[in-house]
């Protein structure tokens, strides 16, 4: 059975102009047991690499890496049905959802049970202490910082 993260700890009221990923680091630190959170680095420009702090994270399945990459790049919650169809297009919905649950479990274990948020039918990435090279590349391009963008591509 998939474990859901309890979002009641350190929760803040959200106004119309706030986003759930803009919560302060203190609330996230409390949610994950206190103390300083390690940074999750997701590098997708080139060969995919996932690091927690300085430790490389490897999963036993490419689907787990693909799932994390998709969540990181999409920058918004995703519906389970969408992810299941995307990652297992030739599988019936029930089997695809089962495969998604197993892949989430693998990914949660690899990430030390941090950063993944599953609430009902949606799955998202908690972006506190997360660095995604693709996001930084996009921001540099949008800001006209082409040299900075070129350095991001390794």
């Amino acid at each position: 059975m998939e474990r859901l993260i309890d979002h009641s700890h350190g929760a803040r009221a959200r106004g119309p102009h706030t986003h759930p990923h803009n919560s302060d680091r203190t609330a996230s630190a409390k949610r994950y047991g206190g103390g300083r959170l390690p940074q999750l680095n997701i590098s997708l420009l080139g060969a995919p690499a996932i690091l927690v702090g300085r430790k490389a994270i490897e999963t036993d399945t490419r689907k787990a890496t693909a799932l994390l990459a998709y969540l990181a790049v999409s920058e918004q919650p995703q519906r389970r049905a969408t992810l299941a169809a995307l990652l297992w297009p030739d599988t019936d919905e029930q089997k695809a959802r089962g495969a998604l649950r197993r892949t989430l479990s693998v990914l949660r274990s690899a990430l030390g049970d941090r950063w993944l948020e599953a609430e009902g039918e949606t799955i998202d990435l908690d972006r506190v202490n997360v660095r995604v090279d693709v996001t930084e590349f996009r921001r540099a391009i949008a800001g006209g910082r082409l040299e900075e963008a070129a350095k991001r591509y390794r």
Side-chain angles (χ1 to χ4, degrees):
M1 182 98 198
E2 186 176 329
R3 186 176 154 283
L4 298 179
I5 296 174
D6 179 6
H7 292 280
S8 62
H9 301 298
R12 296 180 1 183
R14 293 185 190 141
H17 300 293
T18 61
H19 187 273
H21 299 299
N22 293 338
S23 61
D24 63 32
R25 293 175 194 267
T26 304
S28 276
K30 286 180 184 175
R31 179 170 50 204
Y32 295 119
R36 183 171 164 83
L37 286 175
Q39 184 172 45
L40 173 62
N41 289 296
I42 304 170
S43 299
L44 302 170
L45 297 173
I50 303 165
L51 292 109
V52 173
R54 294 182 180 173
K55 180 183 176 199
I57 300 300
E58 298 202 17
T59 62
D60 61 354
T61 170
R62 289 184 297 188
K63 298 281 187 172
T65 302
L67 174 59
L68 183 61
Y70 189 79
L71 291 170
V73 172
S74 69
E75 298 187 44
Q76 64 184 7
Q78 297 295 318
R79 297 195 50 78
R80 287 177 185 267
T82 301
L83 293 170
L86 177 71
L87 295 170
W88 295 275
D90 298 326
T91 307
D92 70 68
E93 185 178 356
Q94 185 176 2
K95 287 181 182 176
R97 282 178 164 264
L100 178 61
R101 280 191 301 277
R102 287 186 296 279
T103 301
L104 280 167
S105 178
V106 165
L107 195 51
R108 271 193 214 298
S109 293
L111 295 175
D113 207 23
R114 296 175 296 235
W115 293 292
L116 286 178
E117 297 181 339
E119 293 185 26
E121 284 298 307
T122 61
I123 300 170
D124 201 6
L125 184 65
D126 180 350
R127 296 181 198 311
V128 173
N129 279 359
V130 174
R131 186 192 144 272
V132 182
D133 63 352
V134 172
T135 303
E136 292 173 349
F137 179 82
R138 287 175 175 167
R139 286 185 185 141
I141 293 289
R145 298 181 312 276
L146 302 182
E147 190 172 316
E148 180 184 330
K151 287 179 182 177
R152 299 251 177 248
Y153 192 84
R154 50 184 169 92

